[in-house]
Amino acid sequence: MPNAQQPLTWILTDGTVGMRIQCLGLAKAAGLTPIVKRIHPSLLLRALPVLGRVPGVPATAGGDPLVAPWPDVVISCGRRTAGAALAVKRLSGGRAFVAHIQDPRLNPRHFDLLVVPEHDPTRGRNVVTTLGALNPHDPEILAQAARQWEVEAEGLRRPLVAVMVGGSNKRYDFSPDAVARFVAQLRDVADAGAGLLVATSRRTDEATRAALRDGLADRAAIVWTGDGENPYLGFLALADALVVTSDSVNMASEACATGKPVHIASVEPESGRLAAFHERLRAAGHSRPFAGRIETWSHPPLDETPRVGEILRRRLADAGLLPGRG
């Protein structure tokens, strides 16, 4: 819980894991101990977030109560919670410092700090751009996860290749033919002598899970398809190299933060902002396309979270909400 030396901090989340993780990562990097408020954003504020500034417009349509004492700091992520964050700032009498992650497609002046991907167009004096998504997975957390899962993986051959699999979304569809090609590529990697640590996600459909499970059953592989504890962080930590499906900015960013070779699997072709994101990752040397083989190279970790956390700390100190440094 917050103490006298720390501002009262709320994280506003609709429960979307990728959004909540980014908020937690920013709070942790800034040295804040947040209270997580899981809310049900209203359809009105989801459609028109700027109405959160209008008196009388409710902050949410349910979930955890948003009542006084109002926070000193609000951290939110994604357009779905942007309106709620603005409403809390209004209800606090304008006192709450709002740090919002991702481009809400609003004028930046409505926020105290706006953290947006480089491939989005919004810029301004209070805008910080990032190449990758933020996350709370520091080396200590990864080392603990590795210890938890190393016994499970010790029977596999080296190199260990972690395979992080996402799923379809509104701009990206995992077709059966594309999944079959991807599984065939993974079999090639195993045939070349690697051990596979495969983790699916909440968005992975059952057909894709079955294709991975059945297609790799006779290979040196551990395939996690949702039963029991999620080994994602353990696999991330134990791997010598990684393969990540291109649908998830979060998974690609977390993989690149390890500094290990990261291969991006285009199960389906990317487009728009997702394509621009992966083009920037490749240009910076953080990733290479996956073509059924594992390459070896080194690159600096994509370490965005500490950098943005320090910026937030400085802004809070300037606002009198944290002690200054030095």
Side-chain angles (χ1 to χ4, degrees):
M1 294 293 291
N3 56 47
Q5 298 299 313
Q6 195 177 85
L8 176 61
T9 303
W10 286 0
I11 283 176
L12 300 184
T13 173
D14 66 353
T16 304
V17 174
M19 306 293 190
R20 177 174 56 83
I21 283 176
Q22 292 192 65
C23 293
L24 289 169
L26 179 55
K28 182 177 182 179
L32 303 173
T33 304
I35 297 170
V36 177
K37 298 279 190 177
R38 183 166 180 170
I39 61 173
H40 304 310
S42 70
L43 291 175
L44 178 63
L45 289 186
R46 284 166 56 183
L48 297 169
V50 73
L51 293 181
R53 295 170 50 86
V54 176
V57 175
T60 72
D64 292 337
L66 303 183
V67 295
W70 300 109
D72 303 299
V73 181
V74 175
I75 301 177
S76 51
C77 182
R79 184 176 170 85
R80 289 166 61 93
T81 59
L86 295 180
V88 170
K89 184 176 182 68
R90 166 176 53 85
L91 291 165
S92 73
R95 183 176 58 85
F97 184 106
V98 175
H100 186 77
I101 304 168
Q102 294 192 356
D103 192 345
R105 299 297 193 267
L106 296 177
N107 193 312
R109 67 181 176 81
H110 297 312
F111 303 89
D112 298 286
L113 183 67
L114 198 56
V115 182
V116 305
E118 289 179 4
H119 54 263
D120 281 341
T122 298
R123 298 292 185 271
R125 291 172 56 188
N126 61 334
V127 176
V128 176
T129 60
T130 63
L131 173 54
L134 308 183
N135 72 78
H137 309 320
D138 59 31
E140 182 178 343
I141 289 176
L142 291 175
Q144 180 179 348
R147 289 191 294 270
Q148 182 177 353
W149 291 97
E150 61 188 353
V151 174
E152 298 284 338
E154 66 182 10
L156 295 180
R157 299 169 296 190
R158 292 279 183 175
L160 284 176
V161 178
V163 183
M164 308 308 185
V165 183
S168 300
N169 57 42
K170 61 184 179 182
R171 292 181 293 272
Y172 194 108
D173 181 51
F174 273 38
S175 69
D177 287 346
V179 171
R181 288 192 296 271
F182 177 53
V183 172
Q185 289 179 321
L186 294 178
R187 289 172 63 89
D188 289 342
V189 171
D191 289 344
L196 302 181
L197 300 170
V198 183
T200 58
S201 72
R202 289 172 177 82
R203 288 190 295 105
T204 311
D205 61 81
E206 186 52 44
T208 299
R209 294 173 194 263
L212 289 163
R213 185 173 55 242
D214 298 344
L216 299 175
D218 59 349
R219 294 301 193 270
I222 296 173
V223 182
W224 184 80
T225 57
D227 295 327
E229 188 172 355
N230 191 334
Y232 174 79
L233 289 182
F235 288 2
L236 200 67
L238 289 169
D240 300 304
L242 300 107
V243 174
V244 183
T245 59
S246 65
D247 56 288
S248 173
V249 170
N250 277 11
M251 289 197 307
S253 299
E254 289 166 357
C256 291
T258 68
K260 301 172 183 179
V262 177
H263 304 73
I264 301 298
S266 296
V267 179
E268 299 284 2
E270 306 88 27
S271 61
R273 289 182 293 165
L274 184 61
F277 164 70
H278 284 298
E279 183 177 345
R280 288 175 181 270
L281 276 189
R282 290 191 297 271
H286 294 295
S287 71
R288 294 182 183 177
F290 178 57
R293 64 183 182 276
I294 299 302
E295 302 179 32
T296 301
W297 76 97
S298 61
H299 64 90
L302 180 60
D303 210 9
E304 299 278 42
T305 309
R307 176 178 69 87
V308 180
E310 182 57 32
I311 291 172
L312 177 56
R313 278 198 65 86
R314 292 200 303 266
R315 300 290 177 88
L316 293 177
D318 292 343
L321 294 171
L322 279 176
R325 290 189 171 180

